[in-house]
Every structure is written in C-alpha cells, then in structure tokens.
Amino acid sequence: MAQIIGIIGGSGFYKPDNDSQKKTINTPFGDATVHLTQLGNKDVAFITRHGVKHSIPPHLVNYRANIYALHHLGVSRIISTSAVGSIIKEIPPGSFVIPDQFIDFTIGRPKTFFDGKFDITLHSGEKRSGVIHIDLTNPYCPDIGNVIATAGKELKMDIHEKGVYVCTEGPRFETPAEINSFRILGGTLVGMTSVSECILARELGMCYSTISIVTNLAAGMQDKISVSDFLKTFDGKIVELRKLVEKVLEQVTFVSDKCDC
Ligand SMILES: [Zn+2]
C-alpha cells in the first residue's frame, strides 16, 4: 500500500509549486489532474476540486474521476476542505466544522461507481461490478475526524466536532425557505461538494473526512449572500486552515483499524 494521503481542496487552498509533480490519471470516468507533493510530514496527492483556475462549478466537478484517481494511486484516506454556509447562528462565519452526518439534495450528478456500466478494479486487484449498497451509518471517517478535532484544539482554533452537512446541487445559493426547511431537518451547514466525494470514497472503501470552513450565514440569515464577502472570509482563514491541515497530516496514519470505512 502506497504511503500517501489524498487531499481535495479549493483552488484557494493549494497553489502547485515547483516541488510538486503534476500527473494526469486516466480513469474509466475521465481524466483527473493530481499534484504529488509533500505537506506536513507526509507525501500527499492533491486535487484542486474546481481546477487550478477555479473554472469547474460544483455540479460539474468530475467527482468519480477524482476519487477513482486517488484510489488508483494507492490512497486509502482522504482529507478535504470545503467552504460552507452556516444554517445555525451559533456557528458564525470563520468557524471550522467537522461534519459527522449529511443530507443529500444533489440531483443531477453521478454519485456511484456502480451503475452497471463499469467494472471497477480496486487497488487490491479485486474486481467489482453490479449493484452495491454501502453502509453510511458513519459517512465521514470518525477516526480522521478525531485527529482533526485534536489538532484543532492543540492549535486553539474555534472548531466544532459535529455537524450535519446539507449538500445542494448548486451552483446557485439557496432560498431562505430552503434554508428554513434544512434547519427543521436538522442541518447545520450547507454546501455543494463534500457529500459526493464522501459517498464515492466509501464505495471504494476509503476513509474520507472534510474540514468545513463557514464563509457566511445561509440565505435569510443575512441581507444577501455575496461571493466577494464569502471569498474574503475564506481568504482570511487560509493560513489557519493550512496550519490545521499540516498538523492533521503530521498526526494522521495512512491506514487505521479504528474505523470500518
Ligand atoms: Zn475511516
């Protein structure tokens, strides 16, 4: 098993430098671009979710190619970062949250490897096809979640250890009525990306956890949602986020027997 951790982040989080090696991985679902580099004390395979120039909207990200490419490289644990809106005012912009549950409202995007059209070859060489029903009792890896929470506390960050990530199709933001209904359903955060990755990672038996950065209060909780305010909050948190991810990478193991992801 390769000793490498997968990182999926926004284009603001990681800029490829001269030390990183760019690789195009051909997958049955299309090509994925991966940057191999070092972060913390680990070798990592980094994917910029929206492309290096932030040109791919959330509903058009090739989630299957990205997750399959990481699996193909021998990655068994993925840590991602995701920008979200907060549905509850107790979690203000600037907070970090480690979601432990999700509610999926995406509609148009492929979210399984096993739709009958593809034979999947796992990194172990095992072939899988047909219909697969995965268990998502703990959708996000509880073991990586614990590592992130511990690292966040050591860095004295405002980090919330639980949250329900509501995933919408995007790219538009939500209406206040939608946000009210998400709140009634028990949602904590709203975003457009992490859930697709979480499901696909589990289908290939990989651990997946995300660090959500609250960039704004959701619709109806502030006058309006402005992308420039959103980016300003995110940019203001980049240094802290990088520190957190580096500390997590120092402490996380390549495989774990503490979870059954
Ligand atoms: Zn796990």
Side-chain angles (χ1 to χ4, degrees):
M1 182 63 72
Q3 301 282 282
I4 188 164
I5 301 279
I7 307 274
I8 303 176
S11 28
F13 176 69
Y14 175 73
K15 301 256 184 294
D17 57 30
N18 294 336
D19 295 333
S20 74
Q21 184 198 347
K22 184 177 167 183
K23 253 188 148 165
T24 302
I25 312 282
N26 312 116
T27 83
F29 311 96
D31 291 349
T33 304
V34 177
H35 294 268
L36 301 174
T37 186
Q38 282 205 315
L39 209 57
N41 57 2
K42 297 272 193 313
D43 287 331
V44 300
F46 194 96
I47 290 183
T48 46
R49 185 185 286 123
H50 302 286
V52 176
K53 292 181 180 150
H54 202 97
S55 53
I56 312 167
H59 66 298
L60 295 179
V61 171
N62 193 341
Y63 297 100
R64 292 198 294 188
N66 288 350
I67 299 294
Y68 190 91
L70 291 176
H71 182 70
H72 177 80
L73 288 170
V75 166
S76 56
R77 312 196 94 185
I78 301 172
I79 300 161
S80 84
T81 66
S82 47
V84 296
S86 173
I87 296 175
I88 55 173
K89 58 180 185 312
E90 290 76 16
I91 301 184
S95 311
F96 292 85
V97 185
I98 311 161
D100 64 320
Q101 288 290 322
F102 71 67
I103 303 174
D104 186 12
F105 282 106
T106 63
I107 42 170
R109 55 184 87 171
K111 45 189 153 184
T112 179
F113 290 111
F114 302 102
D115 55 8
K117 292 186 202 136
F118 299 97
D119 291 331
I120 303 298
T121 306
L122 297 181
H123 188 69
S124 61
E126 183 194 338
K127 285 198 188 305
R128 276 199 195 156
S129 59
V131 178
I132 298 237
H133 300 286
I134 47 163
D135 172 46
L136 285 176
T137 305
N138 290 303
Y140 295 95
C141 176
D143 182 53
I144 300 180
N146 283 336
V147 174
I148 298 169
T150 306
K153 278 183 215 152
E154 283 172 18
L155 292 168
K156 301 197 184 336
M157 291 169 63
D158 175 21
I159 192 155
H160 300 259
E161 295 179 39
K162 282 186 187 303
V164 180
Y165 184 120
V166 179
C167 197
T168 61
E169 183 69 5
R172 67 168 177 87
F173 289 116
E174 303 71 35
T175 65
E178 286 171 328
I179 294 300
N180 281 338
S181 66
F182 296 163
R183 195 179 297 113
I184 291 164
L185 292 173
T188 316
L189 312 167
V190 62
M192 300 171 191
T193 56
S194 149
V195 166
S196 312
E197 293 164 357
C198 182
I199 296 168
L200 292 165
R202 180 61 58 81
E203 281 198 341
L204 299 184
M206 304 160 86
C207 293
Y208 177 91
S209 185
T210 193
I211 303 167
S212 291
I213 305 102
V214 177
T215 53
N216 56 280
L217 292 171
M221 299 170 71
Q222 54 183 48
D223 283 348
K224 67 179 205 175
I225 298 177
S226 121
V227 175
S228 61
D229 288 351
F230 172 116
L231 290 174
K232 213 156 106 191
T233 308
F234 188 82
D235 288 347
K237 287 285 159 181
I238 280 285
V239 173
E240 231 179 315
L241 179 62
R242 277 194 74 103
K243 267 194 199 144
L244 176 61
V245 171
E246 281 174 27
K247 197 160 193 73
V248 169
L249 284 167
E250 282 164 19
Q251 295 174 356
V252 77
T253 53
F254 291 105
V255 284
S256 171
D257 52 12
K258 289 189 197 142
C259 62
D260 55 6
C261 301

